[in-house]
Amino acid sequence: MKKILIVTHWYYPRSVPRAFRAKELVDELNQKGYKVDILVGDYKEKFNASELPKITKEKIKFNKNSRYSNNYLLQKIKKISEYFIGERFLISSGAYIYKNLDIANYDVIISIGLPFYIHLVTAMKIKVKKFKGISIADWSDPFYKSNIKVAPYFRYLQKFTCTQFSFNVSPTKKTESYFSEYTNKKIEIIPQGFNFEKIKINNYTPNEITKFGYAGIFYEDIRNPEKLLEALTTINKDFVFVLFTVDHGAIYQNVLLKYKEILGNKLEIYGLIPREECIQKMSQFDFLINLDNVTQNQVPSKLIDYTLTKRPILTVPSDKVNISELKNFLSGDYSKQTVIDINSFDIKNVVKKFIDLIENGEKNGE
């Protein structure tokens, strides 16, 4: 069996999609008999998948950046610095990842992003060390011309990065045309993987007052809840809208708190909670909100989680809210619900695709 190194910034128990992706992939590859090591930028740790992870919830201060993200001046400085360096994680974790990427000891390298620096640093090491094994860049979303505004030279850095890997993997076909600008290699489509066997949901009974929810992170440019919340202020009907999201930062301070004051008890705001717990809680809601990205390259993994709750999903564009459809859902008319087939997202099917690349793919080399 081949020896695999998975490089990621996010990992369990962080409640972010890339942490889920990495953990499910590690667990399933380990079960298939591969020797898997994990290098984690967020925690600056490296461990073996066959051992109990050294990372525990007690080690993580989930809101450690809240005092900075609530500071307007520091946020402006952050945006300026990110324009030139891409992400702050390059400074905080880039050197650690590069130093501990001992790729000569592995047959396969799987780099999981975003953040982009994980792919960039891994690509640099592949180039410098002339790695001849299988290398896979697993992209969640595009980076350049995405939700982070960065300097034009990142177009060349993204092209350099894509061309160093044997394979570039995307979870959706929507990004094929995007990535074709940065590599002439075929883009492999492998969806986000989930272990459905772990999921528990509650028996649903309609709520006395219509209760609906959203779980996930908001962004100022591509997934901003302001127009949805403004639309809700115009609806003369009792409801409770529950948010599980980041409870600090610009969106929280400037948008969520503003509408909490206007909507009062109709809006409940909670911090992010573990994925399985969130799915179980949302299975008791009447319906769920999928706030669609303004850009069309990203497909939120929350759609799979939402589907697992077995509750109707209303997809709402960030930039234009259909009041009529919103009112219909609040009245129990779910005829316009979003429906997806989630079989392709089963981690067992997803890992089969990775194994095919690992076992049958051509080795990296110019």
Side-chain angles (χ1 to χ4, degrees):
M1 278 290 185
K2 290 181 170 62
K3 191 174 179 183
I4 301 172
L5 176 64
I6 291 182
V7 190
T8 180
H9 182 77
W10 303 113
Y11 199 70
Y12 175 86
R14 288 287 188 194
S15 188
V16 295
R18 291 290 89 186
F20 305 150
R21 171 76 149 182
K23 180 68 163 56
E24 300 288 16
L25 186 59
V26 166
D27 288 349
E28 192 66 19
L29 285 171
N30 190 46
Q31 283 200 3
K32 296 293 184 185
Y34 291 90
K35 181 174 174 52
V36 184
D37 290 340
I38 309 99
L39 182 62
V40 184
D42 186 26
Y43 309 129
K44 296 185 176 64
E45 296 230 27
K46 185 177 182 181
F47 56 89
N48 188 282
S50 62
E51 304 169 345
L52 286 174
K54 294 183 275 185
I55 299 162
T56 63
K57 290 182 181 180
E58 287 72 26
K59 290 182 64 174
I60 301 172
K61 298 176 181 177
F62 284 98
N63 289 322
K64 65 181 180 179
N65 292 319
S66 61
R67 61 179 174 172
Y68 303 110
S69 61
N70 290 338
N71 185 297
Y72 177 79
L73 178 59
L74 291 176
Q75 281 302 295
K76 280 293 183 185
I77 294 172
K78 175 176 172 286
K79 281 191 175 183
I80 293 170
S81 64
E82 282 184 341
Y83 180 80
F84 292 105
I85 66 171
E87 298 145 337
R88 67 186 185 280
F89 304 122
L90 176 63
I91 302 300
S92 62
S93 303
Y96 171 82
I97 291 292
Y98 189 84
K99 180 180 178 182
N100 290 276
L101 253 170
D102 50 342
I103 59 178
N105 295 323
Y106 297 92
D107 304 298
V108 180
I109 306 295
I110 302 177
S111 174
I112 297 181
L114 299 178
F116 173 69
Y117 90 93
I118 288 289
H119 291 327
L120 175 61
V121 171
T122 304
M124 290 169 62
K125 202 66 176 268
I126 288 170
K127 179 76 171 178
V128 170
K129 295 298 182 180
K130 296 180 172 60
F131 180 64
K132 298 299 180 183
I134 298 293
S135 56
I136 302 171
D138 180 19
W139 299 82
S140 55
D141 301 318
F143 174 67
Y144 183 65
K145 290 189 176 178
S146 185
N147 62 301
I148 300 174
K149 292 181 180 178
V150 294
Y153 49 74
F154 275 96
R155 181 180 187 280
Y156 302 98
L157 289 175
Q158 179 146 334
K159 186 173 184 179
F160 163 80
T161 299
C162 288
T163 54
Q164 298 310 308
F165 288 91
S166 310
F167 303 99
N168 287 275
V169 168
S170 170
T172 171
K173 278 187 170 293
K174 289 183 178 181
T175 59
E176 278 187 307
S177 60
Y178 171 88
F179 282 108
S180 66
E181 294 183 30
Y182 303 100
T183 177
N184 57 10
K185 297 178 184 177
K186 179 176 178 285
I187 306 302
E188 303 294 330
I189 307 302
I190 304 181
Q192 175 88 21
F194 298 88
N195 186 338
F196 296 161
E197 296 171 2
K198 293 180 182 177
I199 302 303
K200 295 178 182 178
I201 61 174
N202 296 322
N203 292 326
Y204 168 74
T205 55
N207 293 280
E208 251 182 66
I209 298 175
T210 302
K211 182 182 254 189
F212 60 106
Y214 171 93
I217 299 172
F218 295 118
Y219 299 100
E220 289 185 68
D221 298 327
I222 64 168
R223 201 186 303 151
N224 193 316
E226 186 160 15
K227 290 189 177 177
L228 170 62
L229 292 170
E230 181 61 32
L232 289 173
T233 66
T234 69
I235 296 176
N236 186 23
K237 178 181 174 63
D238 286 338
F239 61 80
V240 178
F241 183 25
V242 181
L243 301 178
F244 297 105
T245 189
V246 174
D247 53 358
H248 56 85
I251 289 285
Y252 178 74
Q253 292 289 324
N254 303 330
V255 179
L256 299 188
L257 290 184
K258 169 187 170 182
Y259 284 96
K260 172 62 179 172
E261 188 172 339
I262 296 169
L263 290 167
N265 293 334
K266 289 184 173 183
L267 180 64
E268 296 181 3
I269 306 169
Y270 301 98
L272 295 171
I273 59 176
R275 174 175 170 258
E276 288 84 2
E277 180 186 346
C278 189
I279 291 172
Q280 191 167 12
K281 282 182 180 294
M282 291 194 302
S283 68
Q284 296 176 293
F285 295 174
D286 295 295
F287 66 91
L288 305 174
I289 293 286
N290 170 42
L291 197 61
D292 213 9
N293 296 332
V294 172
T295 59
Q296 294 302 307
N297 285 324
Q298 295 104 322
V299 174
S301 61
K302 68 170 58 61
L303 276 176
I304 295 92
D305 287 346
Y306 281 8
T307 301
L308 291 170
T309 70
K310 298 186 177 179
R311 302 309 311 134
I313 302 166
L314 171 62
T315 294
V316 179
S318 301
D319 54 346
K320 188 177 181 180
V321 179
N322 187 320
I323 295 285
S324 178
E325 283 188 9
L326 186 55
K327 286 181 177 179
N328 287 343
F329 265 70
L330 287 167
S331 299
D333 176 2
Y334 307 134
S335 57
K336 297 293 186 180
Q337 66 179 290
T338 299
V339 178
I340 61 170
D341 179 1
I342 63 172
N343 288 327
S344 62
F345 300 96
D346 188 316
I347 189 61
K348 296 184 187 329
N349 297 327
V350 166
V351 166
K352 282 178 186 175
K353 294 187 176 183
F354 273 100
I355 290 174
D356 184 59
L357 294 184
I358 291 168
E359 298 296 339
N360 303 317
E362 296 181 2
K363 290 187 178 294
N364 188 33
E366 298 299 328

